[in-house]
Amino acid sequence: VQLVESGGGSVQAGGSLRLSCTTSALTYSSTYCMGWFRQAPGKEREGVAMIDSRINSTYYDDSVKGRFAISRDNSKNIMYLQMSDLTVEDTGMYFCALDPGGCPTWLRVKDFDYWGRGTQVTVS
């Protein structure tokens, strides 16, 4: 499974960005989970949001609720993260990840098996 993020960039506080994550075909499984994580310099990687492939249920970290929206386009194998009302605290490298076993109870790094290389988001 390959994951490739795009859409990062520099934006002023209060602005918006939409991240994309393109995946290779996932025909081997109908139930999987995709998530977005981020890592600020000197900090641990943290979960932002995740979405279940089967029922499209979503989960958000409290820090982004009401500002970020995760979605998927199955026909294109693309996952999105629409980010609005960005703050400097949102700055970091954003990674998409996949858990082939379905969404875990908690959005934790260790539960996701496949990772992209990340796209940088800088809010000033």
Side-chain angles (χ1 to χ4, degrees):
V1 177
Q2 290 185 331
L3 305 171
V4 180
E5 304 93 338
S6 62
S10 297
V11 64
Q12 291 187 338
S16 300
L17 281 174
R18 188 177 77 161
L19 306 182
S20 299
C21 174
T22 302
T23 72
S24 55
L26 292 166
T27 57
Y28 67 89
S29 172
S30 61
T31 302
Y32 57 92
C33 186
M34 295 193 70
W36 285 100
F37 293 77
R38 64 186 179 189
Q39 188 167 17
K43 295 187 177 181
E44 293 186 354
R45 193 170 298 187
E46 62 179 8
V48 175
M50 61 182 174
I51 184 167
D52 180 274
S53 68
R54 185 170 57 89
I55 59 176
N56 270 343
S57 61
T58 58
Y59 172 90
Y60 297 92
D61 184 78
D62 286 345
S63 65
V64 305
K65 280 182 181 177
R67 301 188 300 120
F68 290 13
I70 189 171
S71 62
R72 300 181 314 123
D73 183 337
N74 287 346
S75 66
K76 299 178 181 178
N77 279 346
I78 298 178
M79 175 179 65
Y80 301 101
L81 184 69
Q82 178 67 49
M83 306 186 295
S84 303
D85 195 20
L86 287 161
T87 72
V88 293
E89 287 74 28
D90 295 316
T91 293
M93 186 70 78
Y94 281 69
F95 301 89
C96 68
L98 185 144
D99 179 350
C103 281
T105 301
W106 304 107
L107 187 54
R108 300 180 301 188
V109 170
K110 66 178 183 178
D111 290 322
F112 286 76
D113 297 329
Y114 301 96
W115 293 83
R117 294 187 175 184
T119 184
Q120 177 68 36
V121 172
T122 303
V123 185
S124 60

mmCIF file of all heavy atoms in Angstrom, residues 66-109:
data_model
loop_
_atom_site.group_PDB
_atom_site.id
_atom_site.type_symbol
_atom_site.label_atom_id
_atom_site.label_comp_id
_atom_site.label_asym_id
_atom_site.label_seq_id
_atom_site.Cartn_x
_atom_site.Cartn_y
_atom_site.Cartn_z
ATOM 1 N N GLY A 66 -14.697 20.801 14.687
ATOM 2 C CA GLY A 66 -15.364 22.006 14.231
ATOM 3 C C GLY A 66 -14.557 22.824 13.239
ATOM 4 O O GLY A 66 -15.082 23.760 12.628
ATOM 5 N N ARG A 67 -13.287 22.483 13.069
ATOM 6 C CA ARG A 67 -12.434 23.232 12.129
ATOM 7 C C ARG A 67 -11.949 22.365 10.969
ATOM 8 O O ARG A 67 -11.741 22.863 9.867
ATOM 9 C CB ARG A 67 -11.223 23.800 12.866
ATOM 10 C CG ARG A 67 -11.552 24.731 14.003
ATOM 11 C CD ARG A 67 -10.309 25.402 14.568
ATOM 12 N NE ARG A 67 -9.347 24.444 15.089
ATOM 13 C CZ ARG A 67 -8.097 24.319 14.634
ATOM 14 N NH1 ARG A 67 -7.672 25.093 13.651
ATOM 15 N NH2 ARG A 67 -7.275 23.422 15.173
ATOM 16 N N PHE A 68 -11.744 21.094 11.228
ATOM 17 C CA PHE A 68 -11.248 20.177 10.210
ATOM 18 C C PHE A 68 -12.345 19.195 9.814
ATOM 19 O O PHE A 68 -13.200 18.848 10.634
ATOM 20 C CB PHE A 68 -10.056 19.375 10.733
ATOM 21 C CG PHE A 68 -8.790 20.161 10.933
ATOM 22 C CD1 PHE A 68 -8.774 21.545 10.911
ATOM 23 C CD2 PHE A 68 -7.593 19.490 11.156
ATOM 24 C CE1 PHE A 68 -7.605 22.256 11.104
ATOM 25 C CE2 PHE A 68 -6.418 20.188 11.357
ATOM 26 C CZ PHE A 68 -6.424 21.578 11.328
ATOM 27 N N ALA A 69 -12.290 18.746 8.566
ATOM 28 C CA ALA A 69 -13.243 17.748 8.085
ATOM 29 C C ALA A 69 -12.507 16.714 7.238
ATOM 30 O O ALA A 69 -11.813 17.075 6.285
ATOM 31 C CB ALA A 69 -14.349 18.404 7.278
ATOM 32 N N ILE A 70 -12.682 15.459 7.594
ATOM 33 C CA ILE A 70 -12.066 14.368 6.855
ATOM 34 C C ILE A 70 -13.112 13.737 5.940
ATOM 35 O O ILE A 70 -14.275 13.611 6.317
ATOM 36 C CB ILE A 70 -11.458 13.323 7.826
ATOM 37 C CG1 ILE A 70 -10.626 12.285 7.077
ATOM 38 C CG2 ILE A 70 -12.549 12.659 8.661
ATOM 39 C CD1 ILE A 70 -9.837 11.372 8.008
ATOM 40 N N SER A 71 -12.690 13.364 4.749
ATOM 41 C CA SER A 71 -13.624 12.749 3.807
ATOM 42 C C SER A 71 -12.856 11.849 2.842
ATOM 43 O O SER A 71 -11.625 11.887 2.794
ATOM 44 C CB SER A 71 -14.390 13.823 3.037
ATOM 45 O OG SER A 71 -13.497 14.619 2.265
ATOM 46 N N ARG A 72 -13.598 11.047 2.091
ATOM 47 C CA ARG A 72 -12.982 10.120 1.138
ATOM 48 C C ARG A 72 -13.735 10.145 -0.180
ATOM 49 O O ARG A 72 -14.938 10.356 -0.210
ATOM 50 C CB ARG A 72 -12.986 8.685 1.664
ATOM 51 C CG ARG A 72 -12.257 8.483 2.953
ATOM 52 C CD ARG A 72 -12.293 7.022 3.382
ATOM 53 N NE ARG A 72 -13.615 6.459 3.272
ATOM 54 C CZ ARG A 72 -13.903 5.386 2.552
ATOM 55 N NH1 ARG A 72 -12.957 4.798 1.850
ATOM 56 N NH2 ARG A 72 -15.122 4.913 2.496
ATOM 57 N N ASP A 73 -12.999 9.910 -1.262
ATOM 58 C CA ASP A 73 -13.585 9.676 -2.574
ATOM 59 C C ASP A 73 -13.117 8.294 -3.000
ATOM 60 O O ASP A 73 -12.005 8.130 -3.493
ATOM 61 C CB ASP A 73 -13.123 10.746 -3.566
ATOM 62 C CG ASP A 73 -13.764 10.605 -4.931
ATOM 63 O OD1 ASP A 73 -14.208 9.479 -5.272
ATOM 64 O OD2 ASP A 73 -13.834 11.592 -5.657
ATOM 65 N N ASN A 74 -13.963 7.305 -2.785
ATOM 66 C CA ASN A 74 -13.567 5.929 -3.063
ATOM 67 C C ASN A 74 -13.260 5.698 -4.531
ATOM 68 O O ASN A 74 -12.409 4.873 -4.882
ATOM 69 C CB ASN A 74 -14.645 4.966 -2.598
ATOM 70 C CG ASN A 74 -14.687 4.848 -1.089
ATOM 71 O OD1 ASN A 74 -13.770 5.266 -0.401
ATOM 72 N ND2 ASN A 74 -15.768 4.313 -0.565
ATOM 73 N N SER A 75 -13.972 6.376 -5.408
ATOM 74 C CA SER A 75 -13.772 6.156 -6.836
ATOM 75 C C SER A 75 -12.373 6.563 -7.276
ATOM 76 O O SER A 75 -11.861 6.056 -8.283
ATOM 77 C CB SER A 75 -14.818 6.932 -7.635
ATOM 78 O OG SER A 75 -14.634 8.324 -7.471
ATOM 79 N N LYS A 76 -11.752 7.462 -6.514
ATOM 80 C CA LYS A 76 -10.425 7.942 -6.865
ATOM 81 C C LYS A 76 -9.362 7.490 -5.870
ATOM 82 O O LYS A 76 -8.192 7.828 -6.010
ATOM 83 C CB LYS A 76 -10.426 9.466 -6.939
ATOM 84 C CG LYS A 76 -11.365 10.046 -7.980
ATOM 85 C CD LYS A 76 -11.327 11.571 -7.955
ATOM 86 C CE LYS A 76 -12.283 12.161 -8.972
ATOM 87 N NZ LYS A 76 -12.289 13.643 -8.940
ATOM 88 N N ASN A 77 -9.783 6.741 -4.851
ATOM 89 C CA ASN A 77 -8.844 6.314 -3.805
ATOM 90 C C ASN A 77 -8.122 7.507 -3.192
ATOM 91 O O ASN A 77 -6.896 7.496 -3.018
ATOM 92 C CB ASN A 77 -7.819 5.324 -4.362
ATOM 93 C CG ASN A 77 -8.368 3.921 -4.449
ATOM 94 O OD1 ASN A 77 -9.407 3.617 -3.878
ATOM 95 N ND2 ASN A 77 -7.666 3.063 -5.168
ATOM 96 N N ILE A 78 -8.870 8.525 -2.874
ATOM 97 C CA ILE A 78 -8.294 9.737 -2.288
ATOM 98 C C ILE A 78 -9.017 10.063 -0.980
ATOM 99 O O ILE A 78 -10.235 9.964 -0.889
ATOM 100 C CB ILE A 78 -8.401 10.945 -3.231
ATOM 101 C CG1 ILE A 78 -7.630 10.689 -4.516
ATOM 102 C CG2 ILE A 78 -7.852 12.195 -2.551
ATOM 103 C CD1 ILE A 78 -7.732 11.829 -5.521
ATOM 104 N N MET A 79 -8.240 10.446 -0.003
ATOM 105 C CA MET A 79 -8.775 10.939 1.255
ATOM 106 C C MET A 79 -8.392 12.412 1.373
ATOM 107 O O MET A 79 -7.307 12.815 0.945
ATOM 108 C CB MET A 79 -8.197 10.154 2.430
ATOM 109 C CG MET A 79 -8.623 10.683 3.779
ATOM 110 S SD MET A 79 -7.952 9.746 5.168
ATOM 111 C CE MET A 79 -6.200 10.052 5.014
ATOM 112 N N TYR A 80 -9.287 13.193 1.975
ATOM 113 C CA TYR A 80 -9.057 14.621 2.108
ATOM 114 C C TYR A 80 -9.091 15.039 3.577
ATOM 115 O O TYR A 80 -9.734 14.405 4.410
ATOM 116 C CB TYR A 80 -10.125 15.417 1.358
ATOM 117 C CG TYR A 80 -10.196 15.121 -0.119
ATOM 118 C CD1 TYR A 80 -11.179 14.273 -0.619
ATOM 119 C CD2 TYR A 80 -9.287 15.692 -1.000
ATOM 120 C CE1 TYR A 80 -11.254 14.003 -1.978
ATOM 121 C CE2 TYR A 80 -9.354 15.432 -2.359
ATOM 122 C CZ TYR A 80 -10.346 14.574 -2.842
ATOM 123 O OH TYR A 80 -10.406 14.312 -4.182
ATOM 124 N N LEU A 81 -8.427 16.130 3.829
ATOM 125 C CA LEU A 81 -8.555 16.802 5.115
ATOM 126 C C LEU A 81 -8.730 18.287 4.830
ATOM 127 O O LEU A 81 -7.788 18.960 4.437
ATOM 128 C CB LEU A 81 -7.345 16.572 6.015
ATOM 129 C CG LEU A 81 -7.471 17.167 7.424
ATOM 130 C CD1 LEU A 81 -8.534 16.402 8.228
ATOM 131 C CD2 LEU A 81 -6.136 17.134 8.171
ATOM 132 N N GLN A 82 -9.961 18.746 4.987
ATOM 133 C CA GLN A 82 -10.242 20.166 4.818
ATOM 134 C C GLN A 82 -9.987 20.846 6.152
ATOM 135 O O GLN A 82 -10.612 20.517 7.154
ATOM 136 C CB GLN A 82 -11.686 20.378 4.383
ATOM 137 C CG GLN A 82 -12.076 21.834 4.236
ATOM 138 C CD GLN A 82 -11.352 22.516 3.091
ATOM 139 O OE1 GLN A 82 -11.304 21.995 1.981
ATOM 140 N NE2 GLN A 82 -10.777 23.695 3.353
ATOM 141 N N MET A 83 -9.065 21.807 6.145
ATOM 142 C CA MET A 83 -8.688 22.488 7.378
ATOM 143 C C MET A 83 -9.076 23.957 7.278
ATOM 144 O O MET A 83 -8.711 24.638 6.312
ATOM 145 C CB MET A 83 -7.178 22.367 7.603
ATOM 146 C CG MET A 83 -6.670 20.927 7.585
ATOM 147 S SD MET A 83 -4.923 20.795 8.007
ATOM 148 C CE MET A 83 -4.187 21.656 6.620
ATOM 149 N N SER A 84 -9.798 24.428 8.256
ATOM 150 C CA SER A 84 -10.259 25.815 8.273
ATOM 151 C C SER A 84 -9.889 26.456 9.593
ATOM 152 O O SER A 84 -9.587 25.770 10.577
ATOM 153 C CB SER A 84 -11.776 25.870 8.078
ATOM 154 O OG SER A 84 -12.164 25.233 6.877
ATOM 155 N N ASP A 85 -9.935 27.797 9.611
ATOM 156 C CA ASP A 85 -9.640 28.542 10.831
ATOM 157 C C ASP A 85 -8.312 28.073 11.440
ATOM 158 O O ASP A 85 -8.238 27.795 12.645
ATOM 159 C CB ASP A 85 -10.786 28.394 11.826
ATOM 160 C CG ASP A 85 -10.728 29.408 12.945
ATOM 161 O OD1 ASP A 85 -10.044 30.447 12.778
ATOM 162 O OD2 ASP A 85 -11.327 29.166 14.007
ATOM 163 N N LEU A 86 -7.324 27.994 10.613
ATOM 164 C CA LEU A 86 -6.031 27.470 11.054
ATOM 165 C C LEU A 86 -5.352 28.408 12.042
ATOM 166 O O LEU A 86 -5.483 29.639 11.949
ATOM 167 C CB LEU A 86 -5.123 27.229 9.850
ATOM 168 C CG LEU A 86 -5.499 26.013 8.999
ATOM 169 C CD1 LEU A 86 -4.875 26.106 7.617
ATOM 170 C CD2 LEU A 86 -5.078 24.733 9.685
ATOM 171 N N THR A 87 -4.644 27.814 12.983
ATOM 172 C CA THR A 87 -3.873 28.568 13.968
ATOM 173 C C THR A 87 -2.406 28.125 13.892
ATOM 174 O O THR A 87 -2.085 27.097 13.285
ATOM 175 C CB THR A 87 -4.397 28.329 15.386
ATOM 176 O OG1 THR A 87 -4.053 27.010 15.797
ATOM 177 C CG2 THR A 87 -5.911 28.497 15.453
ATOM 178 N N VAL A 88 -1.546 28.878 14.533
ATOM 179 C CA VAL A 88 -0.117 28.533 14.502
ATOM 180 C C VAL A 88 0.129 27.172 15.134
ATOM 181 O O VAL A 88 1.098 26.481 14.805
ATOM 182 C CB VAL A 88 0.733 29.620 15.196
ATOM 183 C CG1 VAL A 88 0.689 30.910 14.398
ATOM 184 C CG2 VAL A 88 0.279 29.840 16.628
ATOM 185 N N GLU A 89 -0.770 26.770 16.040
ATOM 186 C CA GLU A 89 -0.630 25.462 16.679
ATOM 187 C C GLU A 89 -0.893 24.308 15.717
ATOM 188 O O GLU A 89 -0.601 23.159 16.027
ATOM 189 C CB GLU A 89 -1.567 25.342 17.886
ATOM 190 C CG GLU A 89 -1.152 26.146 19.114
ATOM 191 C CD GLU A 89 -1.400 27.638 18.952
ATOM 192 O OE1 GLU A 89 -2.321 28.011 18.185
ATOM 193 O OE2 GLU A 89 -0.671 28.431 19.589
ATOM 194 N N ASP A 90 -1.455 24.605 14.562
ATOM 195 C CA ASP A 90 -1.699 23.570 13.558
ATOM 196 C C ASP A 90 -0.475 23.319 12.679
ATOM 197 O O ASP A 90 -0.492 22.421 11.836
ATOM 198 C CB ASP A 90 -2.881 23.961 12.669
ATOM 199 C CG ASP A 90 -4.185 24.034 13.431
ATOM 200 O OD1 ASP A 90 -4.453 23.121 14.243
ATOM 201 O OD2 ASP A 90 -4.947 24.992 13.218
ATOM 202 N N THR A 91 0.556 24.097 12.866
ATOM 203 C CA THR A 91 1.773 23.936 12.077
ATOM 204 C C THR A 91 2.419 22.583 12.340
ATOM 205 O O THR A 91 2.510 22.139 13.485
ATOM 206 C CB THR A 91 2.776 25.055 12.417
ATOM 207 O OG1 THR A 91 2.250 26.299 11.962
ATOM 208 C CG2 THR A 91 4.114 24.815 11.736
ATOM 209 N N GLY A 92 2.866 21.940 11.267
ATOM 210 C CA GLY A 92 3.546 20.665 11.418
ATOM 211 C C GLY A 92 3.549 19.889 10.116
ATOM 212 O O GLY A 92 2.983 20.322 9.117
ATOM 213 N N MET A 93 4.182 18.730 10.164
ATOM 214 C CA MET A 93 4.149 17.813 9.037
ATOM 215 C C MET A 93 2.919 16.947 9.200
ATOM 216 O O MET A 93 2.697 16.359 10.268
ATOM 217 C CB MET A 93 5.415 16.955 9.026
ATOM 218 C CG MET A 93 5.544 16.053 7.805
ATOM 219 S SD MET A 93 5.862 16.986 6.305
ATOM 220 C CE MET A 93 7.611 17.337 6.518
ATOM 221 N N TYR A 94 2.125 16.872 8.152
ATOM 222 C CA TYR A 94 0.888 16.092 8.195
ATOM 223 C C TYR A 94 1.080 14.800 7.402
ATOM 224 O O TYR A 94 1.526 14.827 6.253
ATOM 225 C CB TYR A 94 -0.265 16.901 7.625
ATOM 226 C CG TYR A 94 -0.808 17.913 8.610
ATOM 227 C CD1 TYR A 94 -0.052 19.021 8.981
ATOM 228 C CD2 TYR A 94 -2.061 17.752 9.194
ATOM 229 C CE1 TYR A 94 -0.530 19.936 9.910
ATOM 230 C CE2 TYR A 94 -2.552 18.665 10.112
ATOM 231 C CZ TYR A 94 -1.780 19.751 10.462
ATOM 232 O OH TYR A 94 -2.257 20.653 11.380
ATOM 233 N N PHE A 95 0.708 13.709 8.042
ATOM 234 C CA PHE A 95 0.862 12.382 7.462
ATOM 235 C C PHE A 95 -0.493 11.706 7.314
ATOM 236 O O PHE A 95 -1.333 11.817 8.200
ATOM 237 C CB PHE A 95 1.734 11.494 8.356
ATOM 238 C CG PHE A 95 3.118 12.020 8.593
ATOM 239 C CD1 PHE A 95 3.369 12.881 9.667
ATOM 240 C CD2 PHE A 95 4.173 11.640 7.785
ATOM 241 C CE1 PHE A 95 4.640 13.356 9.911
ATOM 242 C CE2 PHE A 95 5.454 12.114 8.019
ATOM 243 C CZ PHE A 95 5.686 12.976 9.080
ATOM 244 N N CYS A 96 -0.678 10.989 6.235
ATOM 245 C CA CYS A 96 -1.831 10.111 6.163
ATOM 246 C C CYS A 96 -1.368 8.688 6.458
ATOM 247 O O CYS A 96 -0.206 8.336 6.229
ATOM 248 C CB CYS A 96 -2.552 10.205 4.836
ATOM 249 S SG CYS A 96 -1.682 9.570 3.404
ATOM 250 N N ALA A 97 -2.274 7.900 6.976
ATOM 251 C CA ALA A 97 -1.943 6.558 7.413
ATOM 252 C C ALA A 97 -3.126 5.635 7.210
ATOM 253 O O ALA A 97 -4.271 6.090 7.100
ATOM 254 C CB ALA A 97 -1.527 6.565 8.884
ATOM 255 N N LEU A 98 -2.832 4.351 7.186
ATOM 256 C CA LEU A 98 -3.889 3.371 6.941
ATOM 257 C C LEU A 98 -3.765 2.195 7.901
ATOM 258 O O LEU A 98 -2.651 1.692 8.145
ATOM 259 C CB LEU A 98 -3.796 2.866 5.496
ATOM 260 C CG LEU A 98 -4.899 1.922 5.010
ATOM 261 C CD1 LEU A 98 -5.195 2.212 3.547
ATOM 262 C CD2 LEU A 98 -4.530 0.468 5.197
ATOM 263 N N ASP A 99 -4.881 1.801 8.431
ATOM 264 C CA ASP A 99 -4.975 0.602 9.276
ATOM 265 C C ASP A 99 -5.853 -0.395 8.535
ATOM 266 O O ASP A 99 -7.062 -0.170 8.409
ATOM 267 C CB ASP A 99 -5.594 0.972 10.626
ATOM 268 C CG ASP A 99 -5.733 -0.235 11.540
ATOM 269 O OD1 ASP A 99 -5.527 -1.380 11.090
ATOM 270 O OD2 ASP A 99 -6.047 -0.019 12.723
ATOM 271 N N PRO A 100 -5.274 -1.477 8.024
ATOM 272 C CA PRO A 100 -6.066 -2.418 7.222
ATOM 273 C C PRO A 100 -7.113 -3.191 8.017
ATOM 274 O O PRO A 100 -7.975 -3.848 7.425
ATOM 275 C CB PRO A 100 -5.006 -3.363 6.644
ATOM 276 C CG PRO A 100 -3.864 -3.270 7.578
ATOM 277 C CD PRO A 100 -3.874 -1.875 8.113
ATOM 278 N N GLY A 101 -7.053 -3.115 9.325
ATOM 279 C CA GLY A 101 -7.998 -3.856 10.140
ATOM 280 C C GLY A 101 -9.221 -3.074 10.563
ATOM 281 O O GLY A 101 -10.039 -3.579 11.338
ATOM 282 N N GLY A 102 -9.374 -1.862 10.045
ATOM 283 C CA GLY A 102 -10.507 -1.060 10.470
ATOM 284 C C GLY A 102 -10.108 -0.045 11.525
ATOM 285 O O GLY A 102 -9.008 -0.131 12.089
ATOM 286 N N CYS A 103 -10.983 0.906 11.771
ATOM 287 C CA CYS A 103 -10.619 1.978 12.695
ATOM 288 C C CYS A 103 -10.504 1.478 14.126
ATOM 289 O O CYS A 103 -11.392 0.789 14.629
ATOM 290 C CB CYS A 103 -11.677 3.093 12.631
ATOM 291 S SG CYS A 103 -11.466 4.182 11.204
ATOM 292 N N PRO A 104 -9.417 1.840 14.764
ATOM 293 C CA PRO A 104 -9.251 1.469 16.165
ATOM 294 C C PRO A 104 -10.131 2.334 17.051
ATOM 295 O O PRO A 104 -10.731 3.296 16.599
ATOM 296 C CB PRO A 104 -7.768 1.751 16.411
ATOM 297 C CG PRO A 104 -7.447 2.856 15.461
ATOM 298 C CD PRO A 104 -8.295 2.617 14.256
ATOM 299 N N THR A 105 -10.184 1.974 18.315
ATOM 300 C CA THR A 105 -10.996 2.746 19.253
ATOM 301 C C THR A 105 -10.422 4.142 19.440
ATOM 302 O O THR A 105 -11.154 5.127 19.534
ATOM 303 C CB THR A 105 -11.069 2.024 20.603
ATOM 304 O OG1 THR A 105 -11.632 0.729 20.394
ATOM 305 C CG2 THR A 105 -11.919 2.811 21.587
ATOM 306 N N TRP A 106 -9.115 4.216 19.496
ATOM 307 C CA TRP A 106 -8.452 5.491 19.696
ATOM 308 C C TRP A 106 -7.516 5.778 18.527
ATOM 309 O O TRP A 106 -6.980 4.875 17.911
ATOM 310 C CB TRP A 106 -7.647 5.466 21.000
ATOM 311 C CG TRP A 106 -8.484 5.128 22.186
ATOM 312 C CD1 TRP A 106 -8.508 3.964 22.891
ATOM 313 C CD2 TRP A 106 -9.466 5.977 22.802
ATOM 314 N NE1 TRP A 106 -9.426 4.037 23.892
ATOM 315 C CE2 TRP A 106 -10.024 5.242 23.875
ATOM 316 C CE3 TRP A 106 -9.905 7.282 22.558
ATOM 317 C CZ2 TRP A 106 -11.014 5.790 24.698
ATOM 318 C CZ3 TRP A 106 -10.887 7.801 23.377
ATOM 319 C CH2 TRP A 106 -11.417 7.060 24.429
ATOM 320 N N LEU A 107 -7.314 7.022 18.245
ATOM 321 C CA LEU A 107 -6.482 7.455 17.135
ATOM 322 C C LEU A 107 -5.030 7.479 17.603
ATOM 323 O O LEU A 107 -4.528 8.513 18.070
ATOM 324 C CB LEU A 107 -6.940 8.839 16.666
ATOM 325 C CG LEU A 107 -6.300 9.413 15.401
ATOM 326 C CD1 LEU A 107 -6.423 8.445 14.243
ATOM 327 C CD2 LEU A 107 -6.948 10.744 15.077
ATOM 328 N N ARG A 108 -4.370 6.335 17.461
ATOM 329 C CA ARG A 108 -3.001 6.217 17.944
ATOM 330 C C ARG A 108 -2.063 5.816 16.817
ATOM 331 O O ARG A 108 -2.429 5.015 15.949
ATOM 332 C CB ARG A 108 -2.915 5.169 19.064
ATOM 333 C CG ARG A 108 -3.768 5.488 20.262
ATOM 334 C CD ARG A 108 -3.654 4.432 21.342
ATOM 335 N NE ARG A 108 -4.052 3.105 20.877
ATOM 336 C CZ ARG A 108 -4.191 2.063 21.671
ATOM 337 N NH1 ARG A 108 -3.956 2.194 22.970
ATOM 338 N NH2 ARG A 108 -4.550 0.895 21.184
ATOM 339 N N VAL A 109 -0.869 6.329 16.860
ATOM 340 C CA VAL A 109 0.128 6.053 15.830
ATOM 341 C C VAL A 109 0.369 4.552 15.696
ATOM 342 O O VAL A 109 0.435 4.020 14.578
ATOM 343 C CB VAL A 109 1.449 6.788 16.151
ATOM 344 C CG1 VAL A 109 2.562 6.328 15.224
ATOM 345 C CG2 VAL A 109 1.260 8.290 16.064
#
